């Protein structure tokens, strides 16, 4: 499995990224868009981040803000994409 | 069929030279007329449609040119150097088409992209309203569920090339969530009213759009419900900012070229303008502005090519820097030309008016300042590879 900075699971890597680019502490289920914690450019940044970090492709049907609105939503999205790519 | 996309440095140089030849032949000689007539000549529109530059950055799979962001930027610089109105046509067409390419279903891509790539159809971006500019969430145009269709009611304003577009990417509120739909020009209930008397990019054929119960099949909805602003509009606006930024590089270059010519030819106080120290300072500042804006735009282009997460923010940074630099450079160019600068016989007044529009479209300077402060708080210069 690919590792970054010694982290192996998606949630750890996503949490680390959030802690690096968002200047306030974020709860796992906290909706970062609804509470105005990030601006609209951040949605695009997140799409590019997960595509690059996890070598997945966000298809048009994946581009739903509900997939990107929190650490846990993004984790579920990445795990689902990884499962689709490698069903075993 | 579009020519092969350039992939090497030599290929990029050749590509930019080819675009420059096209622009100097067909666009630059018309720039003053376009500005004064507040319109784009139909013959030039036909030439542009046939040139395939409208689809130069769209996927080859659908008939586009498939050029990468660096080649796209260099081409856009050439158009911006000659005429910001024509460059704005390329901008709105590309940004809306890119949204369909990125977010559209396979059926939507198949339906619209071939004509958008070939230039047979032109698409405009219809987000802004009388009371919703910087605050896109405030749009009041509404969509009502009518079974297999939406019924769109409301009005849009400042729609670039709305006067001639064949398709519109329209944003509306549906059930308190923004949606985006593609509306065809001949849809019953759609009215198009030209806007005149504009300050800059006067030939960009702005229009007000009226939607009096316009029925749109739900199959024309782009993206999921609620994705209208965050995903669809931002995808399009990101491409728009990239194009505007490069267009500003073109404006700066045009100001510098005009100023060098004028300062080299005109004599005052017994010497050429270019030999006056304060004029030399203006020329130096213009060159520095050009180099800085272009390098920042190239930086954004490389990140976009590599799908780097910083791409959208660095594009916003490039747009902010390039548009503010374009205003400063055009102001200096106007002063350097003295009274002649205020005349339509010289291009600098048009360039200054156009530059000011660039600092408003696709996000005002002030909106960019807020967004870029958020980006600064990420400390992107510290967290990532320092060489990029």
């Amino acid at each position: 499995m690919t590792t970054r900075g010694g982290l192996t699971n998606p949630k750890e890597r996503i949490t680390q990224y959030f802690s690096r680019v968002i200047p306030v502490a974020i709860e796992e289920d906290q909706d970062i868009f609804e509470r105005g914690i990030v601006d609209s450019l951040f949605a695009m940044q997140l799409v590019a981040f997960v595509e690059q970090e996890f070598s997945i492709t966000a298809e048009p049907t994946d581009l739903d803000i509900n997939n990107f609105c929190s650490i846990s939503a993004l984790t579920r999205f990445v795990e689902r994409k990884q499962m689709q790519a490698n069903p075993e | 069929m579009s020519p092969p996309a350039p992939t090497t440095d030599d290929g990029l140089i050749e590509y930019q030279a080819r675009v420059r030849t096209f622009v100097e032949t067909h666009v630059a000689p018309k720039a003053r007329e376009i500005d004064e007539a507040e319109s784009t000549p139909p013959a030039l529109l036909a030439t542009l449609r046939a040139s395939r530059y409208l689809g130069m950055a769209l996927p080859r799979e659908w008939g586009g040119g498939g050029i990468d962001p660096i080649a796209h930027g260099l081409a856009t610089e050439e158009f911006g150097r000659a005429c910001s109105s024509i460059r704005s046509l390329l901008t709105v067409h590309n940004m809306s088409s890119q949204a369909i390419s990125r977010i559209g279903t396979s059926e939507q891509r198949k339906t619209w992209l071939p004509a958008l790539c070939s230039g047979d159809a032109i698409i405009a971006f219809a987000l802004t309203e009388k009371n919703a500019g910087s605050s896109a969430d405030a749009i009041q145009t509404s969509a009502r569920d009518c079974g297999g269709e939406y019924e769109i009611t409301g009005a849009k304003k400042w729609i670039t090339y709305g006067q001639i577009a064949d398709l519109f990417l329209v944003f509306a509120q549906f059930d308190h969530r923004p949606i985006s739909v593609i509306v065809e020009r001949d849809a019953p209930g759609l009215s198009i009213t030209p806007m005149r008397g504009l300050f800059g990019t006067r030939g960009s054929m702005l229009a007000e759009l009226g939607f009096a119960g316009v029925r749109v099949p739900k199959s024309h909805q782009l993206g999921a419900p609620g994705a209208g602003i965050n995903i669809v509009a931002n995808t399009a606006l990101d491409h728009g900012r990239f194009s505007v930024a490069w267009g500003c590089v073109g404006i700066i270059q045009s100001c510098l070229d005009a100023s060098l010519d004028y300062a080299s030819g005109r004599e005052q106080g017994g010497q050429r303008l270019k030999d006056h120290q304060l004029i030399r300072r203006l020329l130096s500042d213009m060159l520095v502005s050009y180099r800085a804006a272009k390098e920042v735009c190239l930086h954004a282009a490389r990140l976009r090519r590599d799908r780097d997460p910083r791409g959208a923010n660095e594009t916003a940074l490039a747009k902010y820097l390039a548009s503010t630099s374009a205003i400063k450079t055009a102001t200096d160019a106007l002063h350097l030309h003295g009274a002649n600068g205020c005349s339509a016989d010289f291009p600098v007044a048009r360039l200054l008016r156009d530059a000011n529009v660039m600092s408003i479209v696709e996000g005002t300077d002030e909106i960019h300042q807020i967004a870029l402060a958020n980006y600064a708080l990420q400390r992107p210069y510290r967290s990532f590879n320092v060489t990029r």
Side-chain angles (χ1 to χ4, degrees):
Chain A
M1 179 178 282
T2 307
T3 65
R4 289 277 173 93
L7 303 175
T8 56
N9 74 61
K11 182 183 276 187
E12 286 178 345
R13 286 153 69 180
I14 290 166
T15 303
Q16 186 192 60
Y17 186 70
F18 272 49
S19 70
R20 197 169 70 197
V21 298
I22 299 179
V24 295
I26 300 292
E27 301 293 327
E28 255 182 61
D29 294 316
Q30 198 169 349
D31 187 327
I32 56 174
F33 294 105
E34 199 167 68
R35 302 200 177 180
I37 294 166
V38 297
D39 62 22
S40 55
L41 280 177
F42 196 72
M44 307 190 61
Q45 182 174 336
L46 274 186
V47 173
F49 161 69
V50 293
E51 287 192 327
Q52 188 181 65
E53 178 76 11
F54 299 102
S55 301
I56 59 177
T57 301
E59 302 296 339
T61 50
D62 297 325
L63 296 175
D64 183 332
I65 205 69
N66 292 325
N67 284 330
F68 298 90
C69 64
S70 67
I71 291 172
S72 51
L74 199 52
T75 302
R76 285 193 297 274
F77 168 68
V78 169
E79 288 174 344
R80 191 174 75 244
K81 296 296 288 186
Q82 289 178 328
M83 188 72 79
Q84 287 168 358
N86 301 296
E88 297 302 308
Chain B
M1 186 68 184
S2 298
T7 54
T8 63
D9 283 354
D10 285 346
L12 283 171
I13 291 167
E14 192 275 331
Y15 183 76
Q16 186 171 14
R18 186 152 27 101
V19 177
R20 178 171 288 207
T21 299
F22 174 86
V23 167
E24 289 188 345
T25 304
H26 298 288
V27 181
K30 297 286 184 187
R32 178 175 174 179
E33 175 190 334
I34 289 168
D35 182 57
E36 293 180 349
E38 295 190 57
S39 185
T40 302
L44 177 54
L45 281 172
T47 302
L48 283 164
R49 285 177 186 263
S51 72
R52 305 195 79 89
Y53 285 123
L54 283 163
M56 62 184 159
L58 296 171
R60 292 185 73 80
E61 175 188 3
W62 301 106
I67 58 173
D68 77 4
I70 295 174
H72 186 210
L74 295 172
T76 306
E77 177 186 359
E78 292 302 327
F79 278 94
R81 195 170 66 87
C83 178
S84 287
S85 292
I86 298 302
R87 196 271 313 136
S88 72
L89 171 60
L90 300 181
T91 300
V92 294
H93 180 78
N94 182 66
M95 64 195 271
S96 302
S97 301
Q98 293 282 4
I100 295 172
S101 174
R102 181 70 180 94
I103 299 157
T105 62
S106 57
E107 195 58 37
Q108 290 171 334
R109 295 177 192 177
K110 202 183 305 175
T111 300
W112 287 300
L113 285 180
L116 294 170
C117 288
S118 68
D120 289 339
I122 287 173
I123 184 166
F125 183 73
L127 173 64
T128 312
E129 299 179 2
K130 181 181 173 188
N131 295 317
S134 294
S135 180
D137 290 334
I139 56 170
Q140 293 174 316
T141 295
S142 63
R144 192 166 67 90
D145 192 340
C146 296
E149 297 177 316
Y150 287 115
E151 185 183 84
I152 311 293
T153 303
K156 297 290 176 181
K157 194 170 182 180
W158 314 111
I159 307 308
T160 300
Y161 280 95
Q163 292 180 35
I164 55 109
D166 304 288
L167 299 167
F168 299 91
L169 179 54
V170 178
F171 296 83
Q173 298 285 2
F174 173 68
D175 196 20
H176 306 293
R177 293 196 295 175
I179 62 167
S180 54
V181 290
I182 296 164
V183 178
E184 293 166 349
R185 182 183 186 85
D186 59 3
L190 172 62
S191 60
I192 300 171
T193 307
M195 296 177 69
R196 295 184 63 83
L198 298 163
F199 176 70
T201 55
R202 289 158 55 88
S204 56
M205 306 187 77
L206 266 60
E208 292 187 69
L209 309 179
F211 297 85
V214 174
R215 293 292 186 106
V216 181
K218 285 187 174 170
S219 60
H220 288 204
Q221 180 179 322
L222 193 61
I229 303 297
N230 268 329
I231 303 291
V232 183
N234 275 320
T235 297
L237 287 167
D238 171 51
H239 283 280
R241 288 184 201 107
F242 183 71
S243 177
V244 170
W246 277 98
C248 289
V249 175
I251 290 175
I252 296 169
Q253 188 187 148
S254 199
C255 289
L256 179 54
D257 282 340
S259 298
L260 289 169
D261 289 346
Y262 192 79
S264 300
R266 184 170 171 84
E267 203 171 281
Q268 288 287 284
Q271 57 182 345
R272 301 277 180 193
L273 283 188
K274 69 179 176 59
D275 295 322
H276 287 276
Q277 280 198 334
L278 291 177
I279 296 295
R280 296 177 74 83
R281 176 187 171 183
L282 292 178
L283 296 173
S284 301
D285 285 352
M286 287 183 203
L287 176 62
V288 170
S289 290
Y290 171 72
R291 184 69 70 220
K294 185 158 184 173
E295 288 301 323
V296 170
C297 284
L298 278 168
H299 177 65
R302 290 187 197 101
L303 294 179
R304 297 171 76 85
R305 178 195 60 194
D306 299 342
R307 299 182 183 281
D308 189 293
R310 292 166 292 166
N313 278 301
E314 291 288 342
T315 296
L317 189 157
K319 193 267 184 182
Y320 175 64
L321 176 75
S323 65
T324 50
S325 297
I327 292 173
K328 168 73 166 61
T329 305
T331 304
D332 287 349
L334 189 102
H335 277 264
L336 185 146
H337 281 70
N340 281 324
C342 302
S343 156
D345 291 337
F346 292 83
V348 288
R350 170 173 54 83
L351 292 165
L352 177 58
R353 287 186 283 105
D354 290 348
N356 273 276
V357 175
M358 297 308 101
S359 71
I360 294 171
V361 294
E362 330 308 11
T364 62
D365 286 350
E366 291 75 16
I367 290 293
H368 276 75
Q369 287 161 348
I370 292 167
L372 290 172
N374 288 337
Y375 183 46
L377 286 164
Q378 295 186 20
R379 300 176 201 263
Y381 45 86
R382 191 179 68 182
S383 305
F384 301 95
N385 184 344
V386 294
T387 63
R388 297 179 53 192

